[in-house]
Amino acid sequence: MKPGHGQALFTAECSHMFHFHCISSSVKHGNYVCPVCRAKWKEIPFNRSLSSIVPRGRSGLNVNQARLPQQDAYMALLRQVPTRQREVPTLHTSEPVEFNDDEPLQLMEAADNCDVSSSKTVEMKTYSEFSAIPQSSSQDDFAVLIHLKAPCANPEQITSRPVNATSVGYPTSRAPVDLVTLLDVSGSMAGTKLALLKRAMGFVIQHLGPSDRLSVIAFSSTAKRLFHLRRMSHSGRQQALQAVNSLGAGGGTNIADALKKAAKVIEDRSYKNPVCSITLLSDGQDTYNISSNVRGTRPDYRSLVPSSILNQAVGIVPVHGFGFGADHDSDALHSIAEVSGGTFSFIEDEGVIQDAFAQCIGGLLSVVVQDMRLTVQCVHTGVQLRSIKSGSYLSKVAGDGRNGSIDVGHLYADEERDFLLSVSFPQSREQTILLKVAFSYRDPVTNECIKIQGDEVMILRPRSRTPELVCMEVDRERNRVRAADSIEAARAAAERGVLSEAVAILEECRRVLSESFSSRNGDRLCMALDAELREMQERMASRQRYEASGRAYVLSGLSSHSWQRATTRGDSTDSSSLVYSYQTPSMVQMLQRSQNQCPSPQIPRPQIIVPTRSFIQKPQPR
């Protein structure tokens, strides 16, 4: 096209150019894809004089005016960012030897907020499989459930708006975050993917506060730190947006180099915020550090992760991995997340990149518990602790079976955790005190160490057996653990190439769940688990389907269940699914803000589902 000639020109995010009045007319009639390359657009041209055009919500209704200030705030901030040429960045420029140039922390105004934070503590409840066992009976595998719920978020955390003010007066009732984000800018990210990634990063930058610090590392064939750990003050956000918006795509994929650089940013920093995390985003496979493996062997993905951010290291720094599309290495990203204590999300539709980010930072910006450790001690002389079902959380049982522990680590506001214990005990004529449970953790805002001694777990010992139903809470958790174990077994079968066996494993699990006590009583969790297993069966219907999306979907599900934390994965499971059942109110609020800010009728969004696990709905401990 020849520029000018009295015509306004519109350049789309996929780089194709159109006359503005032509393309806006096309958009008016519901066309939200590029006529040339068919890329889905998130930035849609429309004539503001035409009231019938977008923005529209996912329900098809016009977005109400209450949503517009968020978008206006973001666009206002973007307008202040100097325009720069969009060139492929040169990632070979010199960097300092030490990354100790991080910006000093903002002084916390925590005096008025400490009382609010420290007045709320983690809640704990215990449930035994049955409340009474006859005197003449002994038990070798008696189930006890420990349920934890983190303190709720402060009002400022849930209702926090996009940051568009100075640092003065910004709420400090939550723990500030040091966030290092690794962005894949390899050649496969060119076009729509990169445009949507930039917009998603704009959302993250917009919602970090002036006490939070961000460093961005772009990687392709090599990794480059775009800027040091910088406070997200007004000027810090402008500079961060400028750096992100200047990115171009090209080259290979070197995940190991990016993780190494991220670890160096964290290790070398001169100051430390209470919370620290890494997010890793990639649509491809590491072409530099993972050699083509011999058939039947698995690559050593753990070698990609620097020792300083492994889960076993002191000062855990979780890596939350996000895989885009069908070509990313879900095994690598899941393994990296797992060994560091992070989660893996599968972004099947690139249009939900921002929503995936939003859910993640909704959690990271609401950490209320750190370094949590739960201890269990047997009381009655004949009681022994047999096992602890704790997923990916490190648990230990003493050699004599008299005590055990679980390292829970950090919790987001309102997060819940369930741990299933198996104990044995002998015949007895007296009521039996099975366990004493206690836990300790650190408040990240006040740095106060809190220790809580829980109630004793006790059962009655009547002379004869009395009719009693199994505890619903114990049965529900047993079903969740059974489903997670079946998913892992099915995945192993699928990786061996026996998809029929994988499908059969999931089918058998569905049968067992359907016959459980909680399922017969209409439990929502059982219905959700069944829907999830059914979805996985469909994605294992053929080798092609499994390679394209099944493996990533299964791995993100395993990640979610093993950490009992929300992940993003696909959008095809029906509304009763568990895909979002671990969501917290802070995550839901941030996700809603993302969806309200960037309406796009053509891109399906995952439904926001109220968690099926609710602390307040549970009956009193037995």
Side-chain angles (χ1 to χ4, degrees):
M1 292 180 61
K2 295 181 179 179
H5 299 286
Q7 297 284 350
L9 302 180
F10 171 76
T11 304
E13 57 211 59
C14 56
S15 301
H16 292 117
M17 187 180 293
F18 308 92
H19 284 134
F20 183 84
H21 76 276
C22 296
I23 201 63
S24 62
S25 177
S26 175
V27 166
K28 177 182 177 181
H29 290 89
N31 299 314
Y32 304 103
V33 296
C34 175
V36 178
C37 67
R38 311 305 296 171
K40 295 178 181 179
W41 286 346
K42 292 199 74 173
E43 295 178 346
I44 299 172
F46 66 98
N47 189 330
R48 291 187 181 272
S49 65
L50 301 176
S51 59
S52 62
I53 311 177
V54 291
R56 304 175 77 87
R58 277 153 307 286
S59 63
L61 300 176
N62 287 335
V63 178
N64 61 52
Q65 291 300 313
R67 296 177 180 175
L68 296 179
Q70 295 182 22
Q71 180 75 354
D72 292 344
Y74 174 59
M75 295 308 296
L77 187 61
L78 280 179
R79 291 189 195 103
Q80 299 174 40
V81 176
T83 302
R84 298 182 60 179
Q85 289 185 333
R86 306 291 179 86
E87 298 176 348
V88 177
T90 302
L91 301 184
H92 303 282
T93 54
S94 60
E95 292 177 328
V97 176
E98 301 292 333
F99 287 165
N100 57 1
D101 52 353
D102 51 311
E103 187 172 355
L105 307 179
Q106 182 182 32
L107 293 177
M108 297 282 285
E109 305 166 17
D112 296 331
N113 296 308
C114 285
D115 294 339
V116 175
S117 180
S118 61
S119 65
K120 297 178 294 185
T121 58
V122 173
E123 298 177 62
M124 179 175 69
K125 290 185 179 182
T126 56
Y127 304 87
S128 55
E129 186 175 0
F130 296 99
S131 62
I133 296 294
Q135 295 178 2
S136 58
S137 295
S138 60
Q139 295 287 316
D140 292 324
D141 185 19
F142 187 82
V144 175
L145 173 67
I146 301 175
H147 178 87
L148 304 172
K149 185 179 181 185
C152 62
N154 288 303
E156 295 94 336
Q157 287 174 247
I158 295 183
T159 60
S160 62
R161 298 168 298 279
V163 181
N164 53 17
T166 64
S167 61
V168 179
Y170 186 77
T172 55
S173 55
R174 68 164 176 84
V177 176
D178 281 348
L179 178 63
V180 182
T181 296
L182 314 182
L183 304 179
D184 185 342
V185 292
S186 59
S188 58
M189 286 292 294
T192 305
K193 283 184 181 179
L194 186 59
L196 295 179
L197 178 58
K198 289 178 182 180
R199 188 171 189 87
M201 275 305 300
F203 179 89
V204 172
I205 292 167
Q206 181 188 1
H207 285 82
L208 293 176
S211 295
D212 302 312
R213 299 190 304 173
L214 174 69
S215 179
V216 175
I217 294 172
F219 68 95
S220 53
S221 302
T222 59
K224 168 70 176 178
R225 187 188 68 161
L226 299 187
F227 53 87
H228 60 264
L229 267 177
R230 174 181 288 151
R231 285 200 303 112
M232 290 295 98
S233 58
H234 183 74
S235 60
R237 293 197 310 277
Q238 279 187 278
Q239 294 166 358
L241 282 171
Q242 177 179 323
V244 170
N245 286 331
S246 68
L247 287 173
T253 304
N254 194 333
I255 295 175
D257 196 36
L259 287 169
K260 181 179 178 181
K261 195 142 292 184
K264 184 171 178 59
V265 168
I266 292 168
E267 292 168 5
D268 291 356
R269 56 188 170 152
S270 300
Y271 311 92
K272 294 182 180 181
N273 264 327
V275 179
C276 182
S277 186
I278 296 171
T279 56
L280 167 62
L281 309 115
S282 178
D283 75 330
Q285 305 188 21
D286 190 310
T287 52
Y288 293 85
N289 303 278
I290 300 177
S291 58
S292 55
N293 56 307
V294 180
R295 184 173 179 81
T297 64
R298 190 165 178 265
D300 181 18
Y301 295 117
R302 186 187 178 94
S303 64
L304 298 176
V305 186
S307 59
S308 60
I309 55 178
L310 287 175
N311 197 7
Q312 289 80 0
V314 177
I316 298 173
V317 179
V319 179
H320 297 286
F322 298 83
F324 302 165
D327 297 325
H328 73 277
D329 190 340
S330 55
D331 268 329
L333 293 177
H334 174 262
S335 298
I336 290 167
E338 186 70 14
V339 299
S340 66
T343 56
F344 166 64
S345 290
F346 167 41
I347 304 175
E348 187 168 18
D349 185 331
E350 60 196 28
V352 299
I353 291 176
Q354 179 169 302
D355 291 348
F357 280 20
Q359 179 172 270
C360 183
I361 66 167
L364 293 177
L365 298 182
S366 66
V367 174
V368 293
V369 169
Q370 287 184 319
D371 303 330
M372 184 175 189
R373 184 179 176 85
L374 186 147
T375 58
V376 179
Q377 184 175 0
C378 298
V379 179
H380 187 281
T381 54
V383 176
Q384 279 198 317
L385 179 61
R386 295 293 188 183
S387 66
I388 300 175
K389 296 287 188 180
S390 59
S392 290
Y393 295 99
L394 180 65
S395 61
K396 295 180 181 178
V397 176
D400 60 1
R402 294 293 294 167
N403 59 75
S405 64
I406 306 172
D407 291 331
V408 183
H410 68 278
L411 294 177
Y412 302 151
D414 298 286
E415 270 197 319
E416 300 177 53
R417 294 289 181 270
D418 286 315
F419 300 111
L420 197 61
L421 281 58
S422 174
V423 299
S424 64
F425 52 86
Q427 301 175 356
S428 176
R429 295 183 178 181
E430 301 176 344
Q431 66 180 19
T432 306
I433 301 176
L434 301 178
L435 305 168
K436 278 186 178 180
V437 185
F439 60 88
S440 63
Y441 65 92
R442 184 166 50 83
D443 185 320
V445 175
T446 64
N447 208 32
E448 174 188 7
C449 184
I450 299 169
K451 298 182 179 180
I452 294 180
Q453 182 70 50
D455 296 332
E456 296 175 334
V457 181
M458 179 187 69
I459 56 170
L460 302 175
R461 305 304 295 267
R463 291 185 177 180
S464 59
R465 183 178 298 276
T466 55
E468 182 184 2
L469 298 176
V470 67
C471 172
M472 177 74 84
E473 285 71 25
V474 171
D475 195 60
R476 292 171 81 246
E477 177 61 12
R478 186 180 278 148
N479 283 338
R480 192 190 70 81
V481 171
R482 180 180 289 116
D485 289 344
S486 296
I487 293 170
E488 179 61 59
R491 179 211 168 200
E495 294 301 326
R496 292 196 306 269
V498 192
L499 288 174
S500 58
E501 180 183 338
V503 172
I505 291 171
L506 298 179
E507 186 64 30
E508 174 63 14
C509 183
R510 291 178 63 190
R511 184 192 65 78
V512 174
L513 293 183
S514 68
E515 297 173 356
S516 67
F517 171 74
S518 52
S519 177
R520 293 196 304 268
N521 284 271
D523 178 54
R524 286 180 58 200
L525 177 62
C526 277
M527 292 187 290
L529 289 170
D530 183 75
E532 180 180 14
L533 296 173
R534 185 173 64 249
E535 173 71 18
M536 290 182 178
Q537 285 179 308
E538 293 175 2
R539 291 176 184 261
M540 291 179 172
S542 68
R543 174 56 55 180
Q544 182 180 7
R545 183 88 192 273
Y546 180 71
E547 295 290 345
S549 68
R551 177 184 288 112
Y553 188 89
V554 168
L555 288 174
S556 58
L558 284 174
S559 178
S560 184
H561 285 306
S562 67
W563 296 111
Q564 299 183 52
R565 178 161 284 164
T567 63
T568 299
R569 49 182 163 132
D571 53 26
S572 58
T573 303
D574 66 40
S575 60
S576 67
S577 80
L578 257 188
V579 174
Y580 298 103
S581 69
Y582 297 105
Q583 282 179 330
T584 67
S586 298
M587 290 178 176
V588 171
Q589 290 281 349
M590 195 66 77
L591 185 54
Q592 289 175 334
R593 190 171 297 122
S594 168
Q595 296 181 348
N596 290 344
Q597 184 186 76
C598 298
S600 181
Q602 294 288 35
I603 298 176
R605 298 283 193 167
Q607 184 174 355
I608 299 176
I609 300 169
V610 177
T612 58
R613 296 151 35 110
S614 175
F615 190 87
I616 60 174
Q617 293 174 350
K618 296 195 177 212
Q620 293 300 313
R622 295 177 181 267

